Amino acid sequence: MAKLELRNVVKTFGDDTVCDGVNLEVETGQLVCLIGASGSGKSTLLRCINLLESIDEGEIFLDGEDIAVPGLDPKYVRRRIGIVFQAYNLFPHMTAADNVMLAPRRVYRRSRDELRDEVSALFQRFGLDGHMDHYPDQLSGGQQQRVAIVRALAMKPELMLFDEITSALDPQLVGEVLDVLRLLKDSGMTMVLATHEMAFAREAADKVCFLDSKRILEEAPPTTLFSAPRHPATQAFLARALK
């Protein structure tokens, strides 16, 4: 059984169909990269998985349970699925550590003292040792994005979603954030990543999905999709993206 499965997912905004019958399977421990032009539905798809957007048709299964059924408490799902956006969304008046501790304190009623060692280990693991008591404006963009990732991991999710998390970074800071994803992959975290980083997708993904015409048009292991794409739209996109 797949960790995550989408069946014929449709999402509309008014008269605009953004996802039109999307099917996707993600196995436990896989890193799946979503690629495609801006506006192809990658971000909306991630928001639907996390129940930040409700779907109009279809099913979304997490460990075999349909989490898209009307009336399901989204908090139950969001405890299991973490999401990180390209905007760091850190509270500027709170230290990095307090940003990370906020959700587990509110959701699980855990104290700062209970969380301190656990959070400190996360900061150390992802190269942020010594930055726990810094405020966001004292950190680089790459450090802020890593804090945002640590904040999501502090909830101990089973699945992580990443929405263009390097897009807002200066080129020299992109590598340090991608290194975090490599560490997570090595640890066995299940991940879905919407990205324009073709080299990373080619190197690290277990599966790459090309979105076009509001659906997943082609999916394959990166060695196959990048070297021998079948669909003309995939070929045209990669010809532009890999220049």
Side-chain angles (χ1 to χ4, degrees):
M1 179 173 59
K3 183 69 177 177
L4 175 72
E5 183 180 359
L6 280 62
R7 295 182 189 168
N8 299 312
V9 168
V10 175
K11 174 62 184 174
T12 62
F13 293 103
D15 295 331
D16 185 18
T17 300
V18 183
C19 298
D20 189 9
V22 174
N23 294 285
L24 174 66
E25 287 192 18
V26 182
E27 302 295 334
T28 299
Q30 275 193 326
L31 168 58
V32 174
C33 285
L34 309 178
I35 64 171
S38 296
S40 59
K42 302 185 299 296
S43 296
T44 299
L45 196 59
L46 295 182
R47 292 176 65 85
C48 289
I49 294 169
N50 195 246
L51 304 190
L52 292 169
E53 300 285 356
S54 59
I55 62 174
D56 297 287
E57 294 178 33
E59 299 164 304
I60 301 175
F61 293 94
L62 182 64
D63 286 331
E65 177 185 3
D66 187 356
I67 60 173
V69 293
L72 185 74
D73 184 0
K75 293 178 184 175
Y76 160 74
V77 174
R78 292 174 195 151
R79 290 173 188 174
R80 301 175 64 191
I81 303 177
I83 188 166
V84 181
F85 303 98
Q86 71 176 55
Y88 324 125
N89 296 323
L90 300 177
F91 291 109
H93 63 288
M94 299 172 65
T95 65
D98 283 338
N99 267 282
V100 170
M101 292 181 191
L102 183 62
R105 286 182 63 213
R106 287 190 174 177
V107 174
Y108 298 122
R109 304 298 180 188
R110 300 181 66 191
S111 69
R112 278 193 181 88
D113 288 343
E114 283 181 280
L115 289 165
R116 190 78 187 179
D117 288 348
E118 196 174 295
V119 169
S120 178
L122 282 171
F123 272 72
Q124 191 165 17
R125 180 183 174 194
F126 296 111
L128 292 163
D129 198 26
H131 297 293
M132 288 181 64
D133 296 321
H134 290 183
Y135 289 88
D137 65 1
Q138 296 173 308
L139 302 173
S140 70
Q143 288 168 338
Q144 289 186 62
Q145 191 59 285
R146 280 184 282 156
V147 170
I149 294 171
V150 167
R151 177 178 58 186
L153 292 174
M155 291 294 288
K156 300 183 178 178
E158 304 164 33
L159 168 67
M160 284 290 295
L161 311 174
F162 300 97
D163 185 13
E164 303 285 5
I165 59 171
T166 59
S167 293
L169 298 177
D170 292 334
Q172 64 268 28
L173 300 177
V174 169
E176 64 187 59
V177 174
L178 295 180
D179 283 344
V180 171
L181 298 185
R182 292 183 180 94
L183 284 171
L184 288 175
K185 179 175 170 58
D186 289 344
S187 74
M189 177 63 74
T190 309
M191 297 181 281
V192 182
L193 168 69
T195 186
H196 289 297
E197 299 291 339
M198 296 298 113
F200 178 79
R202 190 170 199 162
E203 164 220 334
D206 296 293
K207 180 166 65 177
V208 180
C209 301
F210 171 64
L211 279 74
D212 189 68
S213 302
K214 303 166 186 177
R215 65 185 64 191
I216 294 176
L217 204 59
E218 184 170 353
E219 63 177 70
T223 50
T224 301
L225 190 131
F226 283 99
S227 62
R230 300 188 317 274
H231 200 284
T234 316
Q235 296 166 9
F237 172 80
L238 291 176
R240 295 190 302 270
L242 297 175
K243 279 185 178 178

